[in-house]
Amino acid sequence: MSTSTPPDPRLIRRVALASSVGTMLEYYDFYLYGALSATIFGKLFFHSSDPAIGTLLALATFGVGFVARPLGGIIAGHFGDRVGRKSVLIVTLALMGASTVGVGLLPTYDSIGTGAPLLLVVLRVLQGLAHGGEWGGAAIMTVEHAPRGRRAFYGTWPQMGVYAGIVVSNLVLGAFMLLPDAQFQSWGWRVPFLLGFVLVIVGIYLRRSITESPEFEKTVSSRETARVPVVEALRTNGRGIFVTFGAKAAETGTFYLITVFALTLASRDSGPGETAALNGVLVASLVSIVTVGLFGVLSDRLGRQPVYAFGAAFMAVFAFPFFWLAGTGSTAALWLALIVGLAIGHASMYGAQTLYFSELFDARVRYSGASLGYQLGAALIGGFTPLIASALMLRADGEPWPVAVYIVGLCLLTLLVVGIWGQVRTRASASPAPSTSPTDSDKEIRA
């Protein structure tokens, strides 16, 4: 039986809240950018006589931010595993906030010509670097502070911040979209980016008030920190990185399909319109804040892998019905597709993800390993999913079935990785510390 002091519930909640505010800012910005890149950024920042080509170029810059995310994960992971999780999280939040405000101040193509898209790409790269280090630190800090037996639930707090960021960005963007088109395209779209500064101030205040991860402090006190954490992670936890990447495929592909590409579908002549899609994503995200917590509780009871596999299998089955519902032209059908896809299919994977990925790595390389696998999946699959989906539909004369096939393929990849390699890796690495409760210890081993 452990004689260690039990975790302070107030501290755990404060750490979880600080993590969720940070991820809220990350996805507040990323959803703002994704929504506008699918609608007006093509004509604001790119010179093209074909609106469809302009939209494709704008979606490509959306993907550029993801290319920088693995590098951001490596850099943040290195310092997070050697210097500490807390200080790195403050830096990533500040960098993300600065680049978000920068987008809101950026001149358009009509003002400075080709300098506009070039500066946009630079800001997207900075956002990608910040985002690359954000999730891993926020997730790991929360999990490493949480008590055993409730780690998956507390691990959903950063994930709740993701959905909350979408909700806030939808509300803010929706309010400014009520402006006349000329005003919105002139200055209205800028204000939501500038308002992100408020979240930065709140997030930095909260993160400065929390303590360092106890597992990191134990690693430092025992002088077990890795010299080059990412190299050590590749050497000793290479399978964990592969599993994280493969498991991420279905989750990130479906997330950006639902939250970004759905706007493109809704904007077609036969669709219900951008406003209907934005409101649908808003409602789906509100529901997901609740369901992701429930799936976290379920993950603590049943294990991470079964819950994660359920989400991937569900989305494989739901891929074709999603496009059928979204393509009917009915607002109600579109909302149903968004709610079911986000609040059940995606939220079930998200609810298990934080603890599942964290458990695949030792504490001394956890920030580096989890961030690298996660961000490689986000960069190679998630960031370019809207672009791939648009290109597939263009080649299919507007038919969405090739995109559904693409999503099914991602889900099958995740099921294969989680079901085979993921299971082997988790069992091999399961070595829970002594617990004050046999039930809690059993839950860790079962997971």
Side-chain angles (χ1 to χ4, degrees):
M1 181 178 293
S2 175
T3 59
S4 59
T5 304
D8 181 358
R10 291 174 298 179
L11 172 62
I12 296 167
R13 288 192 292 269
R14 189 161 63 247
V15 171
L17 179 61
S19 296
S20 63
V21 170
T23 55
M24 181 188 299
L25 172 65
E26 304 291 328
Y27 281 87
Y28 172 85
D29 167 78
F30 264 72
Y31 187 72
L32 277 180
Y33 190 95
L36 293 174
S37 65
T39 52
I40 67 169
F41 271 13
K43 51 189 172 184
L44 288 177
F45 292 102
F46 298 92
H47 181 65
S48 175
S49 58
D50 186 347
I53 299 300
T55 298
L56 282 175
L57 291 173
L59 288 172
T61 62
F62 178 77
V64 165
F66 284 78
V67 174
R69 285 172 61 167
L71 178 59
I74 292 172
I75 296 171
H78 176 84
F79 291 102
D81 284 327
R82 287 190 57 81
V83 178
R85 313 337 189 179
K86 175 182 173 178
S87 57
V88 172
L89 282 173
I90 293 174
V91 172
T92 58
L93 187 61
L95 179 60
M96 189 68 182
S99 52
T100 298
V101 173
V103 173
L105 298 173
L106 190 63
T108 63
Y109 186 92
D110 288 341
S111 299
I112 61 172
T114 55
L118 291 176
L119 289 173
L120 186 63
V121 169
V122 170
L123 290 172
R124 287 297 293 162
V125 170
L126 292 177
Q127 288 173 338
L129 291 173
H131 198 146
E134 170 64 28
W135 181 87
I140 288 167
M141 274 286 280
T142 307
V143 167
E144 290 181 345
H145 275 88
R148 296 192 182 278
R150 300 202 72 195
R151 287 187 164 186
F153 168 70
Y154 278 108
T156 64
W157 282 53
Q159 317 294 62
M160 292 178 190
V162 171
Y163 295 126
I166 296 175
V167 170
V168 175
S169 64
N170 255 302
L171 291 173
V172 174
L173 183 60
F176 283 92
M177 286 181 69
L178 296 175
L179 292 168
D181 286 345
Q183 294 184 34
F184 178 72
Q185 294 187 30
S186 174
W187 60 269
W189 66 269
R190 299 180 181 276
V191 181
F193 287 99
L194 301 179
L195 290 176
F197 184 73
V198 177
L199 288 176
V200 176
I201 298 301
V202 174
I204 290 178
Y205 170 78
L206 288 172
R207 288 185 173 182
R208 285 175 59 88
S209 68
I210 62 177
T211 60
E212 183 55 84
S213 157
E215 291 193 31
F216 174 76
E217 291 183 333
K218 181 179 178 181
T219 300
V220 172
S221 64
S222 60
R223 299 184 179 180
E224 294 179 352
T225 55
R227 182 178 180 85
V228 185
V230 69
V231 174
E232 186 70 10
L234 288 167
R235 187 179 69 84
T236 62
N237 292 103
R239 184 178 292 178
I241 294 173
F242 172 75
V243 170
T244 304
F245 170 82
K248 182 70 177 169
E251 178 267 308
T252 192
T254 56
F255 179 79
Y256 287 102
L257 174 76
I258 292 170
T259 58
V260 176
F261 186 66
L263 301 183
T264 302
L265 286 175
S267 301
R268 297 192 301 177
D269 292 338
S270 59
E274 298 166 11
T275 301
L278 287 170
N279 290 336
V281 172
L282 169 63
V283 173
S285 299
L286 282 169
V287 177
S288 298
I289 292 173
V290 177
T291 59
V292 74
L294 295 177
F295 281 117
V297 173
L298 199 61
S299 297
D300 277 324
R301 296 182 178 181
L302 301 180
R304 293 24 128 189
Q305 289 166 269
V307 177
Y308 205 105
F310 163 78
F314 182 90
M315 286 308 302
V317 174
F318 189 63
F320 280 91
F322 174 85
F323 283 102
W324 176 78
L325 289 168
T328 60
S330 165
T331 298
L334 175 63
W335 281 30
L336 178 62
L338 294 172
I339 292 171
V340 172
L342 201 62
I344 298 179
H346 182 263
S348 55
M349 290 183 279
Y350 233 31
Q353 186 180 85
T354 301
L355 182 54
Y356 181 33
F357 289 1
S358 296
E359 287 177 329
L360 294 171
F361 302 94
D362 301 326
R364 61 198 298 267
V365 297
R366 183 170 291 146
Y367 202 148
S368 297
S371 293
L372 180 59
Y374 184 99
Q375 300 303 343
L376 280 174
L380 298 179
I381 299 172
F384 289 98
T385 287
L387 178 62
I388 292 171
S390 295
L392 288 173
M393 283 190 62
L394 280 176
R395 289 182 60 87
D397 295 326
E399 293 295 325
W401 67 263
V403 186
V405 173
Y406 170 71
I407 293 300
V408 170
L410 294 180
C411 291
L412 292 179
L413 170 64
T414 290
L415 285 170
L416 180 66
V417 170
V418 172
I420 300 178
W421 293 283
Q423 185 176 16
V424 172
R425 182 65 187 98
T426 303
R427 285 179 177 174
S429 65
S431 55
S435 170
T436 57
S437 166
T439 303
D440 287 348
S441 180
D442 290 343
K443 288 172 183 174
E444 289 295 317
I445 296 173
R446 269 206 316 272

